[in-house]
Amino acid sequence: MSQAPPKPFSDLALSRRLERAEGFACAQFASARHRLVPGSTSEATECAGANVVFDGIDSPATQTFGLGIFEDLTAESLDTIERFFAERNAPVQHEVSPFAGVAAFDLLCRRNYRPMEISSVLYQPIRRPEGTEDRRIRARVIEPAEAQLWAEINARGWSSEHPEMAPFFLEFSAIVAGREQSVNFLAELDGVPGAVGCLSIHEGVALFSGSTTIPEMRRRGLQSALLRERMRHASDHGCDLASIVTLPGSDSQRNSERNGFQVAYTRMKWLLCSQT
């Protein structure tokens, strides 16, 4: 890859960009479901600067992003957000950056929120890949007619250890494949499809997500090829920053760090326990 520009400091300004990009992608997912699934009640709005997304009671996309980093978190704004989810009989969940500050966390605790998940938010400046690549591997943007193939590969990869979840992942993957403002990628080994990934672009931030490989084609270099191709696409489309979210200490985090990403901050998801 070409020489990368200096990495921006991990601060409030960076967190705002990264959280807004992920919140935008989440809102676009809800919009895609509303457009593609008859009778869907999925929708997205904003409150106090945060993206507020409802995608169904059990959907992992039903949550907020950016709470407390664009505006100070107040009891009034929480009232509004909680009412939004309560009217839809949905759990109230917030992905909250540490830059929201101690006062925001104190308010969440006083309102009976509890931590439910921790994630690592990683980033790096965009740099266009250079050098030779394995000619047996091809990573590329899918054609519109390949959306179903992409969804099937994605579902196979994610459900390999939990086959009972295959129908959920197939439906979820089909929505991702139909999401606007994102680009889906496929990697092939000797012409055989085996891995997929996604890229969502918002205001110069390229969010890398949805990366998985079917079991029989793992450890063949397909994900490395997908990472390079997505980095190339992001560079060609004017992005200056790449982001990815993983579980702390996971294989995904280690692989991301091997490829130039570094942890910007550790983020916590909060659940309103009075609704459980």
Coordinates of all heavy atoms in Angstrom, one line a residue, residues 7-15 18 98-99 121 123 262-266:
K7 N -2.2 9.4 11.3 CA -3.5 9.0 11.9 C -4.0 10.2 12.8 O -3.2 10.8 13.5 CB -3.4 7.8 12.7 CG -3.1 6.5 11.9 CD -3.0 5.3 12.8 CE -2.8 4.0 12.0 NZ -2.7 2.8 12.8
P8 N -5.3 10.5 12.7 CA -5.8 11.5 13.5 C -5.9 11.0 15.0 O -5.9 9.8 15.2 CB -7.3 11.7 13.0 CG -7.6 10.4 12.3 CD -6.3 9.9 11.7
F9 N -5.8 11.9 15.9 CA -5.9 11.6 17.3 C -7.3 11.0 17.6 O -8.3 11.3 17.0 CB -5.7 12.8 18.2 CG -4.3 13.3 18.2 CD1 -4.0 14.5 17.6 CD2 -3.2 12.6 18.7 CE1 -2.7 15.0 17.6 CE2 -1.9 13.0 18.7 CZ -1.7 14.3 18.1
S10 N -7.3 10.0 18.6 CA -8.5 9.5 19.1 C -9.1 10.5 20.0 O -8.8 10.5 21.2 CB -8.3 8.1 19.7 OG -9.5 7.6 20.2
D11 N -10.1 11.2 19.5 CA -10.7 12.3 20.4 C -12.2 12.4 20.0 O -12.7 11.6 19.3 CB -10.0 13.6 20.2 CG -9.9 14.1 18.7 OD1 -10.6 13.5 17.9 OD2 -9.1 15.0 18.4
L12 N -12.8 13.4 20.6 CA -14.3 13.6 20.3 C -14.6 13.8 18.9 O -15.6 13.2 18.3 CB -14.8 14.7 21.2 CG -16.3 15.1 21.0 CD1 -17.2 14.0 21.3 CD2 -16.6 16.4 21.8
A13 N -13.8 14.5 18.2 CA -14.0 14.8 16.7 C -14.0 13.5 15.9 O -14.8 13.3 15.1 CB -13.0 15.8 16.2
L14 N -13.0 12.6 16.2 CA -12.9 11.4 15.5 C -14.1 10.5 15.9 O -14.7 9.9 15.0 CB -11.6 10.6 15.9 CG -11.4 9.2 15.3 CD1 -11.3 9.3 13.8 CD2 -10.2 8.5 15.9
S15 N -14.5 10.4 17.2 CA -15.6 9.6 17.6 C -16.9 10.0 16.9 O -17.7 9.2 16.5 CB -15.7 9.7 19.1 OG -16.8 8.8 19.5
L18 N -16.8 8.5 13.4 CA -16.9 7.1 13.3 C -18.4 6.6 13.7 O -19.0 5.7 13.1 CB -15.9 6.4 14.2 CG -14.4 6.7 13.9 CD1 -13.5 5.9 14.8 CD2 -14.1 6.4 12.4
P98 N -17.1 6.3 24.7 CA -16.6 6.9 26.0 C -16.5 8.4 26.0 O -16.5 9.0 27.1 CB -15.2 6.2 26.1 CG -14.9 5.8 24.7 CD -16.1 5.5 24.0
F99 N -16.5 9.0 24.8 CA -16.4 10.4 24.7 C -17.7 11.1 25.1 O -17.8 12.3 25.2 CB -15.9 10.9 23.4 CG -14.5 10.5 23.1 CD1 -14.2 9.4 22.3 CD2 -13.4 11.2 23.7 CE1 -12.9 9.0 22.1 CE2 -12.1 10.9 23.5 CZ -11.8 9.8 22.7
V121 N -13.7 -0.1 18.6 CA -13.9 0.7 17.3 C -12.5 1.0 16.8 O -11.7 1.7 17.5 CB -14.7 1.9 17.6 CG1 -14.8 2.8 16.3 CG2 -16.1 1.6 18.2
Y123 N -9.7 2.1 13.5 CA -9.7 3.0 12.4 C -8.3 3.1 11.8 O -7.3 2.7 12.5 CB -10.1 4.4 12.8 CG -9.0 5.2 13.6 CD1 -8.4 6.3 13.1 CD2 -8.7 4.8 14.9 CE1 -7.4 7.0 13.8 CE2 -7.8 5.5 15.6 CZ -7.1 6.6 15.1 OH -6.1 7.3 15.8
Q262 N -6.0 0.5 14.1 CA -5.7 0.6 15.5 C -7.0 0.9 16.3 O -7.9 1.5 15.7 CB -4.6 1.6 15.8 CG -5.0 3.0 15.7 CD -3.9 4.0 16.1 OE1 -2.8 3.8 15.6 NE2 -4.2 5.0 16.9
V263 N -7.0 0.6 17.6 CA -8.2 0.8 18.4 C -8.3 2.3 18.7 O -7.4 2.9 19.2 CB -8.1 0.0 19.7 CG1 -9.3 0.4 20.6 CG2 -8.1 -1.5 19.4
A264 N -9.4 2.9 18.3 CA -9.7 4.3 18.6 C -10.2 4.4 20.1 O -9.8 5.3 20.8 CB -10.7 4.9 17.7
Y265 N -11.1 3.5 20.4 CA -11.7 3.5 21.8 C -12.5 2.2 21.9 O -12.9 1.5 20.9 CB -12.6 4.7 22.0 CG -13.6 5.0 21.0 CD1 -14.9 4.4 21.0 CD2 -13.3 5.9 20.0 CE1 -15.8 4.7 20.0 CE2 -14.2 6.2 19.0 CZ -15.5 5.6 19.0 OH -16.4 5.9 18.0
T266 N -12.8 1.9 23.2 CA -13.7 0.8 23.5 C -15.1 1.3 23.8 O -15.2 2.3 24.6 CB -13.2 0.0 24.7 OG1 -11.9 -0.5 24.4 CG2 -14.1 -1.2 25.0

